[in-house]
Amino acid sequence: MNDFPPIGAAALDNLTPFFQNYCSNQHVPGCAFGVVFGGQVVYSAGVGALNPNGEQPADPAAVYRIASMTKSFTALAILMLRDEGKLRLEAPAADYAPELRRLVYPTRDSAPISVRQLLTMSAGWPEDNAWGDRQLWRSDEELAALLQPGVSFANPPGITFEYSNYAYMVLGRVITHVSGMGALDFINRRILQPLGMNDTVWNEADVDSRRLAKGYLWQEGEWVEEARLPSGGDVAAFGGLYSSVMDMARWIALQLSAWPARDEDDDGLVRRATLREMQQPWRLYTPSLPPPSIGRPAVAAAGGYGYGLSITCEGARAGGLLYMVAHGGGLPGYGSYMCWLPDYDLGLVALANTRYAPMRQAATTAIRQLVQQGVQPPRRIAPAAALESARADVNRLLQGWDDILADQLFADNFFLDESRVRWQAQMADLVAAHGALQAEGELQAENALRGSWKLVGASGWVQASLTLTPTVPPRVQELELESVLPPNPILSNALALLLELLAKPSQRAVNKLFAAERDPQPDRHTIYDRVRLVAVLCGECELGEILAGDGESWVRLRIAGAKAAVEAALSFDTNSRKFTSATFQQVR
């Protein structure tokens, strides 16, 4: 199905060759993928074949093992039971899974494992990917026998995240004990069937053999067919499902339907608030920094595990914040990944048929490319009426101070933090520097009670931002007014010389344009290295948007290159007419 909206059509069409190249490089026989937008599949395709001989081409209707992507279905089943009042997430898991009553904890002060800790993989059990996959066949009796001697702990409960298939096997037992029916039956009846996910099944025997993607292993230069692992009983709740791209698109559409929070009827499969709860990072991952890379923007990232889902947040709001919800799956013969961006109402799923196929990189790269190529802008955050009103009142104060208006607008802390006289003087100074100020563009809301906007004058502009209080009615507790002036002729001339330097870097030119710096600042040799790197990174470039600055002693601006863009922060000495510091950071 390729009925995508006209915007971004070329970017969507580029996905097929992208996945074709990726699968070829990764020795993946076949892959099917689909893009979800607005609750619909807007693009889907297959590359390669369901077997290495190419007898059956891969397509979005083919059925693959989705492995640990199953965990999100198990998590929703638990939350359904919670919403019905049949279990509590904070209760000891042993209340609902009697097999855990015999656990011997690693320390005498360990608290009992809760249901929530099983959901968030913080029960203290060790990472078990190598072992867990081979337990898929176990019956309920065999799982009970496995649990009978207890569980070995890597950490006390509730300390840290560690990926645990075992935790989701036990959640299968919780579903059975609480619901009165087998966990797999519960997920079938309460989730899969109502969503019309008819291709999503627990056993290979339930798949039309003509549509089954068989699993393979690339070994010693040839394809070896993998033996399929049967789904046993409740243990399969950690990774037993088979599914297709078209069915998984329904699942992604359900998750995206929860965003944004809104007033309309909430009569779907489950409450929208429950779906949003799944998609929050309840247990943070151990922080890590990506290795430095020339030619790639530095991106801050954080994340954690929700309920059967992984959440990452990367970038900066000014440069395009990406809040991504995702999960992968891998078993002998299969690898898969699903991811979606709630702020963009955009999702993608990719399924492949080789052992632990590394589809995470392919799927996340593809969805980032769709965002970067403008397939869909992010959803605008709606400001509260009080925030819009406060912006209008601040604009009025900048046109002329009014004590009565100020007393109505600002909270009781405001003039205690900085005096009324100083605020009057600051606003008067801004008007003197810029001329009469007029609001330009929309209010950019960070949330319903915090936002920023731009006021333009005859010379430069003011960047304004405010935060309202939690009171009723809300009042302004914080206000920031940042003056931005265009570079004066002296600084403009220095920037023109900087552009010439970037076109032809030399140590001599750096020495002319930059003052000798004192410790602990970098010396001019370091500046030269930075300039050369920017020149290589950007190629032919030009001065772009002024982002901040006082017009004479410092400026922050964008340098737009043929190959990349950077933000430059520069300090300038008006007496020597030289820059005293310079930092450059690549931006998206």
Side-chain angles (χ1 to χ4, degrees):
M1 177 180 179
N2 296 327
D3 297 331
F4 43 77
I7 183 169
L12 290 166
D13 266 340
N14 288 338
L15 291 177
T16 296
F18 168 80
F19 276 100
Q20 182 71 63
N21 292 336
Y22 187 85
C23 290
S24 176
N25 292 336
Q26 297 292 331
H27 294 295
V28 175
C31 166
F33 63 91
V35 177
V36 180
F37 171 64
Q40 302 293 324
V41 178
V42 295
Y43 191 90
S44 62
V47 299
L50 301 187
N51 56 59
N53 297 325
E55 297 168 357
Q56 181 70 27
D59 64 65
V63 177
Y64 296 75
R65 201 78 181 262
I66 65 169
S68 285
M69 285 159 61
T70 304
K71 290 180 172 68
S72 57
F73 296 88
T74 299
L76 183 58
I78 291 287
L79 293 176
M80 283 177 157
L81 293 169
R82 186 279 311 272
D83 288 352
E84 294 166 6
K86 296 177 180 177
L87 61 76
R88 294 185 303 111
L89 299 189
E90 298 304 332
D95 288 356
Y96 312 112
E99 295 90 342
L100 298 186
R101 293 173 185 167
R102 293 181 292 273
L103 285 184
V104 176
Y105 286 91
T107 63
R108 286 187 292 176
D109 64 354
S110 295
I113 293 169
S114 67
V115 176
R116 189 188 302 277
Q117 287 166 349
L118 293 177
L119 282 170
T120 59
M121 300 190 181
S122 55
W125 298 346
E127 184 277 321
D128 59 1
N129 278 324
W131 171 85
D133 293 348
R134 300 296 180 174
Q135 313 309 310
L136 191 56
W137 60 274
R138 289 184 180 273
S139 66
D140 294 344
E141 294 74 22
E142 286 159 334
L143 176 57
L146 188 65
L147 287 164
Q148 195 279 330
V151 179
S152 294
F153 284 79
N155 297 286
I159 297 298
T160 188
F161 168 86
E162 188 153 358
Y163 196 87
S164 176
N165 291 299
Y166 214 0
Y168 274 73
M169 298 179 202
V170 173
L171 287 171
R173 300 299 293 144
V174 171
I175 294 168
T176 292
H177 285 295
V178 173
S179 71
M181 70 176 77
L184 311 191
D185 287 339
F186 184 90
I187 293 170
N188 278 338
R189 296 183 191 180
R190 297 292 304 276
I191 300 175
L192 302 179
Q193 292 173 9
L195 289 176
M197 296 179 67
N198 300 322
D199 289 334
T200 306
V201 297
W202 296 99
N203 291 291
E204 179 185 330
D206 296 321
V207 181
D208 182 341
S209 61
R210 295 168 297 180
R211 297 171 55 211
L212 175 66
K214 296 181 178 179
Y216 294 88
L217 169 65
W218 180 254
Q219 190 175 65
E220 298 180 359
E222 62 180 7
W223 294 108
V224 178
E225 186 173 343
E226 297 259 32
R228 256 77 72 200
L229 303 176
S231 290
D234 294 340
V235 69
F238 89 90
L241 281 173
Y242 291 79
S243 192
S244 66
V245 163
M246 305 310 286
D247 264 17
M248 290 308 300
R250 294 174 183 266
W251 182 240
I252 292 173
L254 172 72
Q255 299 289 340
L256 285 169
S257 72
W259 306 91
R262 54 197 185 272
D263 289 331
E264 65 188 50
D265 291 345
D266 197 2
D267 54 1
L269 178 71
V270 68
R271 295 183 307 169
R272 292 192 294 270
T274 296
L275 293 171
R276 293 192 296 271
E277 183 183 355
M278 288 182 68
Q279 301 173 58
Q280 305 300 313
W282 292 103
R283 175 59 63 173
L284 296 182
Y285 297 141
T286 302
S288 61
L289 291 175
S293 174
I294 295 174
R296 185 178 65 190
V299 176
Y305 203 75
Y307 298 152
L309 293 167
S310 176
I311 297 90
T312 56
C313 190
E314 64 180 43
R317 182 167 292 274
L321 185 70
L322 281 185
Y323 185 92
M324 184 182 296
V325 185
H327 211 286
L331 278 172
Y334 299 95
S336 56
Y337 206 77
M338 60 179 176
C339 53
W340 57 90
L341 305 173
D343 292 337
Y344 292 79
D345 198 18
L346 184 68
L348 188 145
V349 59
L351 311 177
N353 62 332
T354 190
R355 181 185 287 196
Y356 306 125
M359 301 313 295
R360 174 179 179 176
Q361 181 181 348
T364 56
T365 298
I367 201 169
R368 288 188 186 102
Q369 287 179 356
L370 292 177
V371 169
Q372 291 164 8
Q373 294 170 24
V375 170
Q376 171 65 12
R379 180 184 291 113
R380 183 174 179 266
I381 297 173
L387 187 61
E388 292 278 18
S389 176
R391 178 181 74 147
D393 287 344
V394 169
N395 293 345
R396 288 171 58 193
L397 286 179
L398 281 164
Q399 294 170 8
W401 186 267
D402 182 330
D403 277 326
I404 295 175
L405 176 60
D407 289 339
Q408 294 172 343
L409 176 62
F410 296 117
D412 51 6
N413 70 290
F414 193 80
F415 292 127
L416 296 174
D417 296 336
E418 188 169 343
S419 72
R420 184 186 300 258
V421 171
R422 289 178 63 85
W423 272 109
Q424 285 179 278
Q426 181 183 351
M427 291 189 178
D429 289 345
L430 288 172
V431 173
H434 296 279
L437 292 163
Q438 298 293 327
E440 180 180 88
E442 294 184 338
L443 173 68
Q444 301 299 311
E446 186 175 338
N447 59 40
L449 298 179
R450 182 185 302 120
S452 60
W453 70 102
K454 189 176 185 178
L455 295 124
V456 178
S459 177
W461 69 91
V462 171
Q463 189 67 35
S465 61
L466 61 79
T467 302
L468 301 184
T469 62
T471 58
V472 177
R475 299 187 186 278
V476 176
Q477 58 174 307
E478 291 182 352
L479 174 65
E480 293 183 8
L481 300 171
E482 181 185 13
S483 172
V484 182
L485 288 166
N488 63 19
I490 297 173
L491 180 54
S492 292
N493 182 65
L495 290 172
L497 293 174
L498 175 63
L499 199 61
E500 292 178 10
L501 175 61
L502 290 171
K504 191 175 181 180
S506 73
Q507 185 68 61
R508 183 177 180 182
V510 167
N511 293 343
K512 283 186 176 182
L513 191 56
F514 287 85
E517 302 192 46
R518 307 188 190 97
D519 291 338
Q521 297 294 337
D523 60 24
R524 286 182 292 190
H525 293 291
T526 302
I527 296 293
Y528 173 57
D529 290 339
R530 291 178 181 174
V531 167
R532 284 198 308 167
L533 180 59
V534 172
V536 171
L537 183 64
C538 293
E540 184 178 349
C541 59
E542 60 184 18
L543 300 180
E545 180 185 6
I546 302 296
L547 303 172
D550 65 358
E552 58 182 43
S553 65
W554 72 277
V555 64
R556 182 165 58 86
L557 78 162
R558 182 161 295 197
I559 297 173
K563 297 188 289 186
V566 301
E567 279 188 12
L570 304 153
S571 297
F572 187 71
D573 178 48
T574 55
N575 294 321
S576 66
R577 300 193 175 190
K578 291 186 176 184
F579 292 109
T580 57
S581 69
T583 60
F584 304 93
Q585 180 175 341
Q586 187 183 356
V587 295
R588 291 183 181 276

